[in-house]
Amino acid sequence: MKKAWSSSILRRAAIVLIHALLWTAAFHLALQLRFEGGAISEPFARTWPYALGLLLVCRAVAFYAGGLFHGLWRYAGLPELLNLIKTTTAGSVAFVVLATMAGVPMPRSLYVGEWLASIVLVGGLRFAIRLAHEQRQGRRRHPDALQTLILGAGDAGESLLRDIQRMPDRRWEVCGFLDDDPLKRGALVRDVRVLGGADEATLRRVVVEREVKLVLLAMPTVDGPRTRDIVRICQKLEVPVRTVPSISERIEDFSVATIREVAIEDLLRRAPVSLDVEQVEGLLEGRTVLVTGAGGSIGGELCRQALRFKPGLLLLLDHSENGLYFIERELRQRFPEASVVPLVCDITDRGRLDALFRRYRPEVVIHAAAHKHVPMMEANSPEAVKNNVFGTVAVADAAHASGADTFVMISTDKAVNPTSIMGATKRVAEMALQARAEASRTRYVTVRFGNVLASTGSVVPLFREQIARGGPVTVTHPEMRRYFMTIPEATQLVLQAGAIAERSEIFVLDMGEPVRIVDLARDMIELSGFTPDVDIKVEFVGLRPGEKLFEELLLDDERYARTPHPKIRVGKIQPTARERLERGLSGLRAAADANDDAAVRRFLAELVPESTLSPPEAATVSAPALSPAPSPA
């Protein structure tokens, strides 16, 4: 320990000495420029040694305060240059003030000349050391380094190239850039030329001419169709393609270590979500927030996103102890300063639910708990009703009784013109919340959206499993289409919707364009390195009970209005008459308690007249393992 401490002291002393020598050289250079003949006139000839001593003290104090004696010169960059200019200026100002106060006269031009010379000499030394370090690293190229082409010559591409060039024994040799911006073509980025546009013809030509063995996609904001085109071109050329993460996936910066395989999320990529941070902070910061279904994929991500806004207490509620255990452990590791409490509870257990609400008094409730799998709920309609309808009612009533400010429920596009039990139960839950909002100070907010990529039980994990087994990949129908969002995008917009709600409303998220499931399946097969219908077959197995080809977000007679957020719309959805709703709910509860599937379907059809539910016998027909069509909630 003593030896290390002693070495550090010696190193720091050497750095200060080097700086003192450079400042002395800058001072004498400024003197020589001021007195061209070399003879320094009076009274400056007598006072300049005192001025130099004063300058060295001022510079040393300023540089120590600015941390410029502590940096590693091999990593000097623009931030350090700006700090160097700022600190040198502060030292010069102090020198001028103290020299004037001490009566040490010096020519005014000397102050400016010395300031400029100091910046050039001190900054030049630092950048010369960095240049020598990078050149030494650049000579460590691995003999089998892959010829690499970077698509995108913007900030992401330049940062990626810099990281590659700094690798101690790099296995990638960047031979050029391609970029869509015509103004960049022919330009040099860190001595690597932009060879042309990122179009198919140029990509093919450069891959052949430069013998490219790897393509790196450094275009984090490019949309999904463009990414898909690039991936398909590279697959035809038999050149692997990798990507760097999008802005929403990285906190500050990325490095070589973050380069990954192109994923299906990249092919469906949409513009990053922009949150109104102040609004969401106003909803969550310092408050007690409860998330139901916290152990699920959507609920878990809602917890992660919520903790970004520093709630006073986050309550994780779920009936699955395993899911709750894993999300609690993750959150405590990622947010060690956060207050997190796991609560094991079935939302249909009113006694337990009311006790928890009385104890913790949550101010914001985000309701993500639900049964969501369409075919499974067709065969278990009483449980769908108990959980999705009366579980929601129980949580909503507990929120009202405890004085919660905001209640946000995650709904689904399957609640529109429902053809399934799951969709119909979510629509009835929406209706129940609208009714409760009329007599409560709690804002009851519903957010509708479509499928979420890679959520538990969704189609993407199933396709991955089927591809890993060698196929076939099963799709219900060639024209089956679904809306998709990523989990972070959906959850961020849920929080934003809760923040902008003025009263009890049903919000509809902008889901973009629907995606054909068969196209999704074929893209995933290609990303796995196989050829669809050659290496791995795609089989069509027919629609299952409760499924429909196209999902909708609003009924034909429902209108919507825009909100301040471009991806959130508010539906103009009329509430159901209270008497009719209560009568239907009473019959529905009795039917569910009696496990009477036929009665459940009858009461759901009465409550949701636009629904077209399958008859009871159709729901019990067994079916092979198909691609599921779960809702996001």
Side-chain angles (χ1 to χ4, degrees), residues 153 178-188 194-199:
L178 296 183
D179 196 279
D180 290 330
D181 185 353
L183 297 178
K184 294 178 181 177
R185 293 172 193 174
L188 290 174
V194 181
L195 302 173
D199 55 275

Side-chain angles (χ1 to χ4, degrees), residues 244-265:
V244 298
S246 65
I247 294 173
S248 61
E249 293 179 295
R250 52 194 167 98
I251 298 174
E252 293 177 354
D253 202 359
F254 61 86
S255 66
V256 171
T258 65
I259 295 174
R260 54 168 172 78
E261 299 279 352
V262 178
I264 191 65
E265 291 84 352

Side-chain angles (χ1 to χ4, degrees), residues 19-34:
H19 278 83
L21 293 174
L22 291 173
W23 294 328
T24 301
F27 183 85
H28 280 288
L29 178 61
L31 274 177
Q32 294 302 316
L33 291 175
R34 170 64 179 80

Side-chain angles (χ1 to χ4, degrees), residues 601-622:
R601 291 172 185 275
R602 185 172 68 251
F603 281 109
L604 283 175
E606 291 177 3
L607 282 166
V608 190
E610 69 272 17
S611 64
T612 52
L613 302 180
S614 304
E617 60 274 11
T620 60
V621 175
S622 62

Side-chain angles (χ1 to χ4, degrees), residues 226-244:
R226 184 83 173 92
T227 304
R228 184 182 295 110
D229 291 341
I230 292 170
V231 170
R232 285 179 175 163
I233 294 168
C234 292
Q235 286 175 338
K236 290 178 182 177
L237 296 171
E238 298 182 347
V239 177
V241 59
R242 302 289 183 268
T243 186
V244 298

Side-chain angles (χ1 to χ4, degrees), residues 360-379:
Y360 291 103
R361 300 280 176 183
E363 297 160 273
V364 178
V365 178
I366 305 175
H367 181 47
H371 288 326
K372 65 178 184 177
H373 296 282
V374 171
M376 192 176 293
M377 291 306 101
E378 288 300 304

Side-chain angles (χ1 to χ4, degrees), residues 453-517:
L453 280 173
S455 63
T456 304
S458 68
V459 70
V460 169
L462 177 64
F463 283 170
R464 285 181 180 142
E465 179 185 331
Q466 291 176 332
I467 292 168
R469 289 201 310 259
V473 173
T474 55
V475 178
T476 51
H477 191 281
E479 294 304 318
M480 172 77 77
R481 282 176 164 83
R482 290 292 181 267
Y483 293 100
F484 283 101
M485 288 180 123
T486 64
I487 294 177
E489 179 182 14
T491 52
Q492 288 172 29
L493 289 175
V494 167
L495 296 179
Q496 185 73 69
I500 66 178
E502 298 178 356
R503 55 189 184 281
S504 299
E505 295 153 315
I506 296 180
F507 289 100
V508 180
L509 302 188
D510 174 13
M511 299 293 298
E513 295 299 319
V515 177
R516 284 206 318 167
I517 301 300

